[in-house]
Amino acid sequence: MKQLAMLFLAGFAASAAAAPSINVVPPDGARFLQQQRFDLRVEGQGTGPYSASLSIDGVPQAFTSGKQNTSATDGISDVAKGWGGFNVRGYASGEPGWHTISADFADATGTAHVSSRFQIVDAFGRDDNGGRRAKNVIIMLGDGMGVAHRTAARLVKYGVTGGQPDGWLNMDRFPGTGLVSTHSLNSIVTDSAPGMACYATGNHSNNGQEGVYPAHVTNAFYAPRVEYMAEYLHRVKGASLGLVTTADVEDATPAANAVHTANRNEGTGICDQYLDESDAEGSGAYGTGLSVLMGGGRRWFLPSGTFGSSRSAGTDYEALPADLLTGWSLPASAAGAKDPGRNLLADFQARGFSYADSKTSLDGLVAGGAPQKLLGLFGYGNMNVALDKISARRGVSSAVVDAYHAPDQPMLDEMTDAALKVLSRNRSGFVLMIEGAHIDKQSHLMDADRAVGETIEFDNAVGVAKRWADRLGDTVIVVLADHECSGFSLIGALAGGLANLKATPPDNTKFDPSSTPARQGKVGTYDAAGFPRYQINKSDGYPESMDIDGKLLFGFGADGDRFEGWLSKPLPIIDSLLPSVIKSELAAKGYSGSPAGRAEKDFGFFVRGQVPGDQAVHTASDIPVSAYSTGSQAWRSFTGVQTNTDVFFKLMRAALGSDADVD
Ligand SMILES: [Zn+2]
């Protein structure tokens, strides 16, 4: 009855006596570049056997999979829950303007109809910015970085005198600054998977998903795909892709440039797909052109059973459907297999990647001529944050990096320089994504000092990218975030309804508002804050200490429960993205798994967060974008307020210009 009522509401009354439910993707309002590939899918839930039809602008389309009048349909739909599906893989259109999809799905009880519209965007018209096409695209992604993170990094690094900043960050100096809305396909508050994928595809995804549309299929890697910027530019002009992150390389932000999956956590399959769809032989016929992959995440490259391996069959993917391979011009070698015992490290090396496992070996690889392809895995899971790496380099303490089994890690700016040495060898250009991952991760953990240190490290990488853009010419750089994390902003929406909220018993007996915790009284507000002045180490550029007289204090508007002591925290919280063996070791060494269990519980005051649990969350706030370009005025197009998917079209327009050969 519930389903029936919904169908009436949706306007299907005429045929809804007992019709199945129906979905079609791409979702209504999707935008694509001319010739950008995407999959169409109509699926329904009901009682088999099923049949379906789909037309575009009235022209019937032949499904590439889905047997009519069967219950099994395409063989990949969630039959156990009554789903059937029909697909058109690898569709593309060259005709700018709006197009209409019309689809029917019939089961044993009736027929449901759905229609949606998509737009093809002209990528090849002369843009208004003048100058030449951008050969190279660099996306600097400060994960979770809002306006406040940028301000904090600037204040710590440069200070303020008489109301005037004593210096500006590299990203502050970029000429084209605007705002970007960050919503995903299914929520105002995005996670990092759609947060990055929208810049790389021009399309919104559901939370947790990257490079795909939602679908009821039996494997996350079977979901309907949309083509990435790197795939498009590799296919039409032979561009290379570089991915550099301080996170585990399986993490959502790097993967959302190259891997198509409806589950961002399936690290085995994600890292396999990096290589299998990289077009390592350089055919230009398919894939991403991945030539640089750097970060943490060695655990996915080691066969299961060896120390630090996280590979498992449960996080891998089975052979991709035949029509997916055909529609995306993928060779049989890219089909995928459940192979937790795979030595992915050896496979990368066999296909031409030089491998670095430390800063020392990275320096050795790029000294006097960079390799053709570069794989750098500097930790088993997430890399360590800037302040812990710097502490080791200064000889203050290497306890944290040693405990992570990663004693010799490069800084993000050093990785950026190495990546550009490799990528600049390709005269056809490149797409490079650089992620400062721990701005987000440390904000979740409400460790302000580490988040600020990470923002300084990220800005150093921005400076390196800018110098390369000046040297190479014809390069566009955008500095942005996928979303804000933890900040002074809207933290979500009421769950469970208003009546449920009103019926909830009071929760007012645990605190006494008339008492002020001693450390809360230490917060200087307004003029009591003054102008904090950090001592910056002359050789490495980071603060000598985050604990100075009058240090900056931070609040978290989207916070979880924690104890706050205002002192910098000697140990980081155990990263979630680490092999379990290292997590256990860290726990045994006294590292806490959660902010509420940090040492401050012995001296700080308890802060009851506004969201459940003990981690801060992403917010729906707009994020700042700053753009720079050489050889063109492409930076101009990023000023003003824009939606996240706009960024893709602006970058692609800058890259393809008026006379790109794309036929
Ligand atoms: Zn996050």
Side-chain angles (χ1 to χ4, degrees):
M1 280 309 292
K2 196 174 173 187
Q3 193 180 69
L4 191 66
M6 284 172 64
L7 286 166
F8 272 108
L9 282 174
F12 299 122
S15 61
S21 67
I22 181 170
N23 300 325
V24 69
V25 294
D28 193 41
R31 287 184 293 170
F32 305 94
L33 212 58
Q34 278 176 296
Q35 303 302 348
Q36 184 183 5
R37 289 175 176 176
F38 58 97
D39 293 340
L40 298 128
R41 173 179 172 86
V42 54
E43 62 174 23
Q45 186 181 32
T47 308
Y50 305 110
S51 58
S53 64
L54 186 149
S55 66
I56 297 175
D57 300 332
V59 179
Q61 303 292 310
F63 291 118
T64 56
S65 59
K67 283 203 181 88
Q68 302 285 350
N69 301 308
T70 65
S71 292
T73 60
D74 58 0
I76 61 168
S77 296
D78 189 355
V79 187
K81 292 194 177 138
W83 288 94
F86 299 81
N87 309 285
V88 181
R89 299 281 189 179
Y91 180 85
S93 168
E95 285 183 49
W98 283 96
H99 302 273
T100 301
I101 301 170
S102 181
D104 286 320
F105 186 91
D107 74 349
T109 63
T111 300
H113 177 80
V114 67
S115 65
S116 70
R117 302 210 311 157
F118 66 89
Q119 186 184 18
I120 298 295
V121 175
D122 178 0
F124 313 114
R126 171 71 69 186
D127 72 23
D128 307 328
N129 299 314
R132 298 191 301 248
R133 276 181 280 144
K135 191 165 81 171
N136 312 309
V137 176
I138 303 177
I139 301 174
M140 307 287 312
L141 198 294
D143 205 299
M145 184 178 71
V147 174
H149 294 94
R150 291 175 56 152
T151 308
R154 187 201 306 143
L155 285 178
V156 167
K157 184 145 188 181
Y158 296 106
V160 174
T161 302
Q164 190 64 18
D166 291 325
W168 298 96
L169 299 174
N170 291 305
M171 56 184 134
D172 290 337
R173 295 179 181 278
F174 278 19
T177 292
L179 290 174
V180 181
S181 67
T182 64
H183 318 300
S184 71
L185 182 61
N186 64 337
S187 177
I188 53 168
V189 184
T190 190
D191 76 286
S192 291
M196 176 75 236
C198 62
Y199 301 140
T201 67
N203 277 246
H204 294 293
S205 318
N206 273 3
N207 283 354
Q209 308 194 348
E210 46 212 24
V212 296
Y213 299 116
H216 294 86
V217 290
T218 54
N219 186 295
F221 293 82
Y222 296 168
R225 293 183 168 196
V226 56
E227 191 170 43
Y228 284 118
M229 175 185 295
E231 291 173 309
Y232 190 109
L233 293 177
H234 180 66
R235 183 165 60 81
V236 304
K237 62 172 209 160
S240 300
L241 172 64
L243 299 173
V244 177
T245 178
T246 49
D248 186 317
V249 295
E250 68 129 4
D251 208 7
T253 300
N257 289 275
V259 176
H260 300 273
T261 180
N263 184 350
R264 58 174 282 180
N265 298 316
E266 300 207 330
T268 307
I270 286 167
C271 292
D272 283 357
Q273 198 168 89
Y274 276 135
L275 179 63
D276 295 344
E277 298 196 18
S278 70
D279 187 22
E281 55 287 339
S283 72
Y286 74 98
T288 59
L290 182 76
S291 300
V292 172
L293 181 63
M294 274 194 277
R298 194 181 304 138
R299 62 191 176 130
W300 304 109
F301 294 72
L302 305 170
S304 64
T306 53
F307 175 84
S309 174
S310 292
R311 289 185 66 88
S312 69
T315 55
D316 206 350
Y317 62 108
E318 300 177 88
L320 296 172
D323 66 321
L324 192 161
L325 294 177
T326 306
W328 290 80
S329 313
L330 293 168
S333 62
K338 291 229 184 221
D339 48 6
R342 181 179 188 180
N343 187 336
L344 187 59
L345 188 54
D347 285 0
F348 262 85
Q349 290 172 295
R351 296 184 77 177
F353 283 78
S354 299
Y355 173 58
D357 65 354
S358 64
K359 178 188 186 302
T360 304
S361 61
L362 178 64
D363 289 347
L365 277 181
V366 297
Q372 287 280 355
K373 296 182 203 294
L374 176 56
L375 174 69
L377 300 171
F378 306 110
Y380 283 90
N382 286 332
M383 290 175 68
N384 283 109
V385 305
L387 294 186
D388 293 324
K389 290 186 289 189
I390 287 293
S391 175
R393 288 190 180 198
R394 288 178 183 167
V396 174
S397 171
S398 64
V400 173
V401 296
D402 289 345
Y404 272 63
H405 292 261
D408 180 24
Q409 300 167 62
M411 306 301 291
L412 186 61
D413 41 302
E414 295 161 351
M415 294 158 72
T416 301
D417 191 56
L420 284 159
K421 280 181 176 141
V422 175
L423 293 169
S424 61
R425 297 184 57 166
N426 185 349
R427 293 189 181 162
S428 301
F430 58 81
V431 176
L432 172 59
M433 193 290 299
I434 309 280
E435 182 196 21
H438 291 285
I439 301 170
D440 176 73
K441 295 178 193 300
Q442 295 302 318
S443 296
H444 277 292
L445 300 169
M446 297 166 285
D447 187 333
D449 292 335
R450 281 189 173 79
V452 172
E454 198 69 9
T455 310
I456 292 172
E457 182 188 35
F458 176 72
D459 189 62
N460 291 342
V462 173
V464 169
K466 178 179 179 295
R467 285 194 289 280
W468 272 94
D470 289 338
R471 202 163 110 198
L472 294 172
D474 299 337
T475 300
V476 57
I477 308 177
V478 289
V479 179
L480 34 56
D482 42 2
H483 50 75
E484 198 273 346
C485 183
S486 82
F488 301 104
S489 189
L490 203 164
I491 60 170
L494 179 63
L498 203 54
N500 180 281
L501 177 69
K502 288 178 175 171
T504 305
D507 181 20
N508 55 1
T509 58
K510 298 184 182 70
F511 302 97
D512 176 6
S514 67
S515 74
T516 300
R519 281 169 188 266
Q520 191 188 61
K522 306 297 183 196
V523 181
T525 59
Y526 297 102
D527 41 313
F531 296 120
R533 178 73 60 186
Y534 289 77
Q535 290 302 312
I536 301 300
N537 182 292
K538 286 196 170 54
S539 64
D540 61 41
Y542 289 86
E544 293 285 7
S545 170
M546 296 302 285
D547 287 341
I548 60 167
D549 291 339
K551 71 178 287 185
L552 292 166
L553 301 181
F554 297 92
F556 302 92
D559 57 347
D561 294 350
R562 69 191 186 284
F563 291 89
E564 184 56 79
W566 299 132
L567 294 170
S568 62
K569 298 143 184 41
L571 300 180
I573 298 296
I574 300 171
D575 262 311
S576 55
L577 300 187
L578 282 176
S580 48
V581 59
I582 295 180
K583 283 189 200 175
S584 304
E585 289 178 3
L586 291 169
K589 288 182 171 130
Y591 287 69
S592 173
S594 84
R598 207 147 30 196
E600 288 159 305
K601 67 182 183 299
D602 298 329
F603 60 86
F605 61 101
F606 183 66
V607 182
R608 170 57 55 89
Q610 292 156 286
V611 302
D614 59 4
Q615 294 216 355
V617 296
H618 299 173
T619 71
S621 297
D622 289 355
I623 54 90
V625 55
S626 294
Y628 179 74
S629 54
T630 52
S632 76
Q633 303 286 304
W635 62 267
R636 289 185 184 278
S637 59
F638 295 93
T639 57
V641 183
Q642 58 224 288
T643 179
N644 45 13
T645 54
D646 287 344
V647 172
F648 169 84
F649 294 98
K650 291 174 179 181
L651 288 173
M652 291 300 271
R653 189 164 263 245
L656 293 167
S658 61
D659 53 350
D661 177 12
V662 296
D663 292 326

